[in-house]
Amino acid sequence: MFVLDRYGHPLDPCHPARARRLLAAGRAVVARHTPFVIRIKDRSIADSTVAGVRVGIDPGSKHTGLAVFTDHDGNRTGRYTIQLDHRGAAIRDKLAVRSRYRRRRRGKNLRYRAPRFSNRTKPKGWLAPSLRHRLDTTLSWVARLTRWTPVTAIYVERVAFDTHALSAGKPLKGVEYQQGTLAGYEVREYLLAKWGRVCAYCGKQDVPLNLDHIHPRSRGGSDRISNLTLACIDCNQAKNATPVQEFLKGRPALLAKILKQVKAPLCDAAAVNTTRWALWRALLATTLLVAASSGGHTKWNRSRTGAPKSHTLDALHVGPLGGVTAWPSMVLVVKATGRGTYARTRTDRYGFPRLRLPRTKQVKGFATGDLVRAVVPSGKKTGVHRGRVAVRSTGSFNITTRHGMVQGIHHRHVRLLQRADGYGYTTHPEARHRAAFPPGPEGPGLHAGDN
């Protein structure tokens, strides 16, 4: 649990049991509900010894992993893990819809000025709104963690996907010196993410997977990334040098799915490449110690500790690592939902006004998305309901709990727990298998001074 002193300065995180004892004794109060933060009323940072924590970041196109951990002589202990789900795709789709509406309105006998789209320039370092969102949300959560914990250093995976090398599937000229312990890790990691870490032919997961050529090399197939897939040992041996059309002759639906997936674009890799330097420069501006690492180094660290693959565990294994002693059993999943919309008019599929929303977003002091707790003493909805509220002008609200939606709760029964901040919160268990945690030496050419 995150802990603040009486003046709001961050202290070292504590165990949930200790937080419960402090709250029960009246020595602490709840400062924030999710993530859970307490504030101690009788202690200041001057009276405490603060060891500090470190933050690991595993940036991605759709999800970003954040890990808060302590480091003792190179051995890390995970304290808190967060999976941040971005909404870049939703932003892109909404902008495309708005553009189509605007183009239709201006193009249907309403042209009253010359077009301006051909003479506009973008400033240096400009990012598309969907990419800027990934950067802003990551920086926002780094800033939040520095407010709630005494962060001393940040480790970030500054991964760079060479899309040319990914397409070729083999090293290019002039990079032979890179063929060391981590050779090929980036291509294999990309294929694992692209094919969902399961066998493309039988769907098995959590088994050893081999790289398989869809069109066999013995029959003229290439090493391009579009000709590679994942196959378990049994399927790889059964397919051997048989063309995929013959191997899956009796399963046309699976054949069509594989042939479609091999043509998937490299948009996720391009998104990470575009934002990696902007994220690096923004982290350096925090004045904290920032160290960079590669995706291959992170995977090599996980292979040494025996940790399973996840965004949060990747964040825990970023940078120089001796070993991992433990990691949290639960992950806080933070999904970017936005704060609503400024537009108070809903349109139909043609872009014409369909209905109008209230001019104000707050009703009786509540806004849609607030985390609330309702205690209904009598009636059909008797009980305690906790979740996100959807306000109505009538004063009867709908509350979405983890068990479903409860409609028609009067506002006098509702109490505010936390204001809507543009994110939705859930939890899920962290992967626990293959937990070996052996401390190991640094890899060749990968030392703390190199970062």
Side-chain angles (χ1 to χ4, degrees):
M1 297 295 177
F2 299 135
V3 183
L4 305 177
D5 72 350
R6 60 187 302 178
Y7 301 111
H9 301 131
L11 302 176
D12 288 332
C14 71
H15 194 275
R18 178 173 176 81
R20 288 193 295 267
R21 289 196 297 267
L22 291 172
L23 291 171
R27 295 183 54 196
V29 294
V30 178
R32 182 181 172 87
H33 192 277
T34 307
F36 197 75
V37 184
I38 64 172
R39 181 173 58 84
I40 300 180
K41 298 188 293 184
D42 57 357
R43 181 179 298 179
S44 65
I45 195 172
D47 306 327
S48 307
T49 302
V50 179
V53 299
R54 303 184 182 188
V55 174
I57 306 175
D58 175 40
S61 173
K62 299 178 181 178
H63 312 278
T64 292
L66 300 168
V68 179
F69 58 87
T70 55
D71 191 300
H72 300 285
D73 299 328
N75 294 323
R76 298 179 181 179
T77 302
R79 299 296 185 185
Y80 206 91
T81 52
I82 299 173
Q83 177 181 311
L84 178 58
D85 295 348
H86 301 297
R87 62 186 189 104
I91 293 176
R92 179 199 60 208
D93 294 342
K94 287 187 176 181
L95 288 174
V97 171
R98 288 171 53 187
S99 176
R100 290 195 296 268
Y101 288 163
R102 185 168 58 249
R103 186 175 295 274
R104 188 206 63 78
R105 291 196 304 267
R106 290 177 177 175
K108 189 178 180 180
N109 301 324
L110 294 177
R111 175 60 64 188
Y112 57 90
R113 58 168 172 76
R116 294 185 297 182
F117 56 80
S118 58
N119 59 3
R120 292 177 177 175
T121 59
K122 297 181 176 63
K124 185 179 180 180
W126 177 87
L127 292 174
S130 58
L131 300 179
R132 172 59 61 178
H133 158 78
R134 296 180 176 94
L135 176 63
D136 291 343
T137 52
T138 303
L139 294 177
S140 174
W141 274 94
V142 170
R144 292 184 179 203
L145 291 177
T146 56
R147 291 199 305 266
W148 301 330
T149 56
V151 178
T152 59
I154 300 175
Y155 295 91
V156 58
E157 184 180 291
R158 196 172 61 188
V159 61
F161 291 102
D162 188 347
T163 54
H164 189 185
L166 287 176
S167 299
K170 58 183 179 181
L172 303 176
K173 293 182 179 180
V175 296
E176 285 79 6
Y177 65 91
Q178 296 179 352
Q179 304 307 305
T181 307
L182 304 179
Y185 266 52
E186 306 294 352
V187 173
R188 289 197 293 269
E189 192 69 11
Y190 174 78
L191 287 172
L192 288 171
K194 179 179 180 180
W195 294 92
R197 301 180 181 273
V198 299
C199 176
Y201 303 120
C202 66
K204 289 183 181 178
Q205 57 183 355
D206 296 330
V207 296
L209 298 173
N210 296 334
L211 297 185
D212 180 69
H213 291 76
I214 297 175
H215 186 63
R217 283 188 296 180
S218 60
R219 299 185 179 228
S222 68
D223 290 331
R224 292 180 64 87
I225 202 75
S226 59
N227 193 44
L228 297 176
T229 185
L230 301 178
C232 64
I233 297 176
D234 295 337
C235 291
N236 195 14
Q237 294 177 351
K239 181 177 178 293
N240 200 4
T242 306
V244 68
Q245 289 81 359
E246 297 180 13
F247 182 64
L248 299 177
K249 182 170 56 177
R251 294 184 286 177
L254 179 59
L255 175 61
K257 178 182 177 182
I258 292 177
L259 294 179
K260 179 180 179 181
Q261 192 164 354
V262 297
K263 298 180 181 179
L266 300 174
C267 57
D268 291 335
V272 175
N273 282 350
T274 305
T275 57
R276 66 189 183 99
W277 283 109
L279 177 62
W280 172 254
R281 289 190 292 266
L283 292 176
L284 288 179
T286 62
T287 69
L288 293 171
L289 174 63
V290 183
S293 182
S294 67
H297 192 188
T298 301
K299 184 175 180 179
W300 184 68
N301 285 340
R302 282 195 294 105
S303 67
R304 292 190 300 118
T305 62
K309 166 67 179 177
S310 72
H311 293 282
T312 50
L313 292 183
D314 275 359
L316 183 60
H317 288 76
V318 172
L321 176 68
V324 175
T325 58
W327 61 66
S329 60
M330 299 297 293
V331 178
L332 177 66
V333 180
V334 181
K335 183 177 181 180
T337 58
R339 298 175 180 269
T341 175
Y342 287 107
R344 311 311 290 166
T345 303
R346 295 289 174 85
T347 60
D348 58 15
R349 59 177 179 172
Y350 303 108
F352 292 101
R354 180 172 59 89
L355 57 87
R356 297 184 183 275
L357 299 177
R359 298 295 95 184
T360 58
K361 293 185 178 181
Q362 282 200 359
V363 177
K364 305 297 182 181
F366 300 94
T368 297
D370 290 345
L371 182 63
V372 299
R373 181 174 182 266
V375 181
V376 183
S378 61
K380 295 181 179 180
K381 304 175 182 65
T382 303
V384 179
H385 311 285
R386 175 182 168 276
R388 299 286 175 179
V389 65
V391 299
R392 297 292 181 267
S393 301
T394 59
S396 295
F397 303 156
N398 299 339
I399 301 178
T400 302
T401 68
R402 61 179 179 177
H403 304 295
M405 179 183 292
V406 183
Q407 298 182 352
I409 303 295
H410 199 274
H411 68 87
R412 67 171 178 269
H413 303 310
V414 180
R415 295 295 179 268
L416 179 67
L417 296 179
Q418 184 172 298
R419 288 289 183 189
D421 57 357
Y423 298 95
Y425 301 97
T426 56
T427 57
H428 70 70
E430 181 63 274
R432 303 298 298 176
H433 64 285
R434 296 177 55 204
F437 311 122
E442 291 292 336
L446 295 170
H447 303 282
D450 297 336
N451 291 325

